[in-house]
Amino acid sequence: MIKINMEQKILAGTKLLLFAICTLIILAAAFLTGLFWGQKSAKDAFNLGYTTAWQAAKEAVDASGLFAPEPEEIMAISGTITNINASAGALTITAEPLSDNPLASRENISRIVRTDSATTFIIRTEKDTEKFDAEQEAFNKKMNALAANQTPPEPPTLYNDTPAEFEDIEQGGRITVKAETNIKDAAEFTASEVIIYQ
């Protein structure tokens, strides 16, 4: 009788211990699951809040009029030459950002520029200061002597442009490429004019 009673107590104690261990395992699993999903939700909430705030700030800066808005159409872009494929008449440039808004994307975008027989190439060099000043003075004199019905003369530019060829393009150089179509979002396009800066 005592032996049976003792076995029942041990069995009841073992069951209680197993129940307590199982309960602890389930609670630990529930806690870890909740912790994981809580962190994931907090991270998602932070990312959503950050993105929303950044977009609102960007729109507020755009609306302020302090910076020119990003144009809808881009017909020319400037950048640095990162690769030249002479056999295909193509080159890759890292284009500069399209907007001067400091909150807009500052990421430089790689673009493939193709050329064909219709593409013109120009080497652009900066004019000597004395030469430009003399041209500006001559222009001012012509403007002062201009009659009311006469067409005004072309103002002087700061650069000299000379004809060039595809072979004059050098990797690492800075260029401006122009196109006949909107190239704002074009990853690849054909240039109508390539201006090589020296």
Side-chain angles (χ1 to χ4, degrees), residues 10 14 22 46 53 71 115 121 128 142 168:
I10 291 172
T14 305
C22 288
F46 173 80
T115 62
F121 297 87
D128 175 61
K142 286 180 183 176
D168 294 309

Side-chain angles (χ1 to χ4, degrees), residues 186-197:
E188 187 175 328
F189 61 90
T190 301
S192 59
E193 184 178 52
V194 176
I195 302 169
I196 307 158
Y197 295 100

Side-chain angles (χ1 to χ4, degrees), residues 34-99:
L35 184 65
F36 171 76
W37 286 108
Q39 285 178 341
K40 189 173 187 309
S41 297
K43 186 177 178 184
D44 290 346
F46 173 80
N47 287 339
L48 178 62
Y50 178 85
T51 303
T52 304
W54 186 267
Q55 187 62 35
K58 183 174 177 256
E59 288 170 5
V61 170
D62 281 341
S64 72
L66 294 173
F67 302 98
E70 191 173 298
E72 291 300 316
E73 282 197 358
I74 301 285
M75 308 297 274
I77 56 171
S78 298
T80 304
I81 302 164
T82 55
N83 186 44
I84 299 172
N85 184 346
S87 61
L91 51 109
T92 305
I93 68 168
T94 300
E96 295 162 3
L98 301 174
S99 173

Side-chain angles (χ1 to χ4, degrees), residues 25-161:
I25 291 172
I26 290 168
L27 287 173
F31 173 77
L32 291 173
T33 303
L35 184 65
F36 171 76
W37 286 108
Q39 285 178 341
K40 189 173 187 309
S41 297
K43 186 177 178 184
D44 290 346
F46 173 80
N47 287 339
L48 178 62
Y50 178 85
T51 303
T52 304
W54 186 267
Q55 187 62 35
K58 183 174 177 256
E59 288 170 5
V61 170
D62 281 341
S64 72
L66 294 173
F67 302 98
E70 191 173 298
E72 291 300 316
E73 282 197 358
I74 301 285
M75 308 297 274
I77 56 171
S78 298
T80 304
I81 302 164
T82 55
N83 186 44
I84 299 172
N85 184 346
S87 61
L91 51 109
T92 305
I93 68 168
T94 300
E96 295 162 3
L98 301 174
S99 173
D100 59 356
N101 180 342
L103 298 184
S105 172
R106 307 310 296 162
E107 184 180 326
N108 292 336
I109 300 170
S110 184
R111 299 178 189 243
I112 296 171
V113 180
R114 301 203 175 279
T115 62
D116 58 22
S117 58
T119 306
T120 57
F121 297 87
I122 295 169
I123 293 177
R124 181 165 284 174
T125 53
E126 198 169 328
K127 277 183 186 171
D128 175 61
T129 309
E130 290 177 10
K131 183 180 179 184
F132 175 75
D133 289 343
E135 289 177 356
Q136 185 66 47
E137 191 176 323
F139 172 76
N140 290 340
K141 284 180 183 176
K142 286 180 183 176
M143 287 298 290
N144 290 336
L146 195 68
N149 59 348
Q150 287 182 312
T151 305
E154 285 290 321
T157 65
L158 290 166
Y159 303 99
N160 286 318
D161 289 346

Side-chain angles (χ1 to χ4, degrees), residues 171-184:
Q171 189 159 331
R174 189 172 172 278
I175 62 171
T176 293
V177 287
K178 297 181 180 180
E180 299 294 334
T181 57
N182 183 11
I183 56 174
K184 180 179 177 180

